[in-house]
Each structure stands twice: as structure tokens, then as C-alpha cells.
Amino acid sequence: MNVSTIGEFVGAFLILTGGVASVISVFGLLRLPDVYTRSHAATKSSTLAVLLTLSGAFIYFLFSQDFVSVRLLLGIVFVFLTAPVAGHLIVRAAYRSNVKLADISTEDELYEVLHKDKVEEDGTGQ
Amino acid sequence: MAFQLLLNFFIALVWMFMSTSFTASTFVIGLLIGLLLIIITRRFFTERLYIWRLWAAFKLALLFFKELTLSNISVLKLILRPKMNIQPMIFALPTDLEHDWEITLLSSLITLTPGTIVLYVSDDQRTLYIHAIDVDDVDDAIDSIKNSFEKSIKEVSRP
């Protein structure tokens, strides 16, 4: 086994791990109860899946064709910059439009902050 | 930090002009000489040497990749558990970071780490509201992780 074969195997293994991670994130989307917990699975696991797949492709092309693909590296950086912001914005928009938390949720400290006047009107805030 | 970096580049440029060879290796030699000069004259700068900040940023990146891997393993275990007994909740995290970019960095890091997502940043930027997926066993652990993130961000931004 020479170096390029080992490199190809490493790349293939990374791509396989990325595929497994994205399957798990889809399982999370199906099984978790509400939008907030789903966004956990969507942001984290799929970010890692994209990272693993892109770096696997990078290593594969590096070793099999001696080609340094800077665009793949840039893609990794861009996904890392944008994925958490997208997750944050979706969750925030859901909360602002009064999407209910799942029933198993234990505590909600943000409700009193955002709906201060409503809590006082209802008389539940005392 | 930006000033020291610019000064270092300028010294490297001067070195290239003095040796009249405009190649990358001359530039690197000039950078090293400039770094040496900046280290020698470090007591005239008000800030730390910029290499320590670069080192802190590097350590933060390493910490981040470690946390990302751990978070994915924990979410994986949560999802594949046959009986889903999770306890999601929203809790408030007081922060004493000041600049906008620090808070953005902290919330991005929190969003990509174990079982937490930033929901809302309060208007005075003193509190982050965080949705956690399973709080029963992680509340204290997460607080300590936050402290480690906040500490390393402060390490980067400290003058």
C-alpha cells in the first residue's frame, strides 16, 4: 500500500462517516418532538456531516489526483460561518411567532422577558 | 494587534527591498526578522505581543473542534436511544463580554456545541437565552463549558 492508496481510503472513510452523520441528523428530525429540539439535530449533525464529507473529498482529490482544491476548504469555512446563524434565526423566528415548546419541556425563562405586558395582564406574573 | 502585524509586514517589505530579491522566502525571512525586532522592542507597545493572541485563537479553534465532535456524539446517543426521555428547557446565561463580535462568536460556538442553541440575545447584550435539549444532567456541565468558551474568547480579545 503506497501513500496515495492510504489517502484515498482515509478520504472514503471520512465521506462514509459524513453520510452516517447526515442519516443520524435525519433520524433526529423525525424523532424529536418540537421545532427547537429538531433544530438541534439539524444544525449540529448536518454541519458535522458537511464538514466530514467536504474534507473527505478534499483528501481524496489531494491524494488521488494531486489536486489541492481550495474551493472545498472555502466551502467548509462558509458552512461553519453560516450554519449556526441560520439555526439561531430559525429558532428565534419560531419563538417570536409563539410556536409552543414540547410538553416535556421543564422551564422557560424567556417567556417572562418577551411577554412582560401579557403576563401582567393575565395576573399570572405575580 | 493590527498595528504590530502591519509593522511586521512593513519590516518584511523593507527587508525585501534591502536584499533586492522579491521572493516568498525572502519575505518569510523578513517576517522572522521583524518578529525578532518586535520582541526586542516589546516594552514600547501598549498591547501584548500579537503572537500570543494568534496562539489563543488557535487554541480556541482546537477547543471548538473538540466540542463539536463531543456534541455530535451526545446528540447521536440521544437520538438513537430507544426511549426518548429528554428534558428540554430554556435558561438564561449571563455574560460579561462587551464587543459585538465577541458575543456573536460566543453564540456561534454555543450553537455548535453539546445540546444547546442560542434563542435570543437580550437587548442590553448582558444575557443569552439558550435552549438546551436535555438539561437534567448537563446544566452544570454546560455552565462550565460556557465558562471555558468565554474564558478563551476573553483570552483572545484581551489587549
Side-chain angles (χ1 to χ4, degrees), chain A residues 41-108:
Chain A
T43 52
K44 288 187 244 297
S45 307
S46 52
T47 313
L48 187 79
V50 169
L51 170 80
L52 285 173
T53 315
L54 286 185
S55 49
F58 176 77
I59 288 175
Y60 181 80
F61 281 117
L62 181 66
F63 281 99
S64 72
Q65 312 198 346
D66 288 331
F67 175 63
V68 180
S69 171
V70 185
R71 266 173 249 175
L72 282 175
L73 295 182
L74 275 182
I76 293 174
V77 172
F78 285 145
V79 167
F80 260 96
L81 283 181
T82 50
V85 182
H88 165 69
L89 282 180
I90 291 169
V91 169
R92 188 175 187 274
Y95 198 88
R96 293 309 282 256
S97 46
N98 294 322
V99 175
K100 289 265 186 302
L101 290 164
D103 298 332
I104 45 176
S105 310
T106 45
E107 207 172 328
D108 187 357

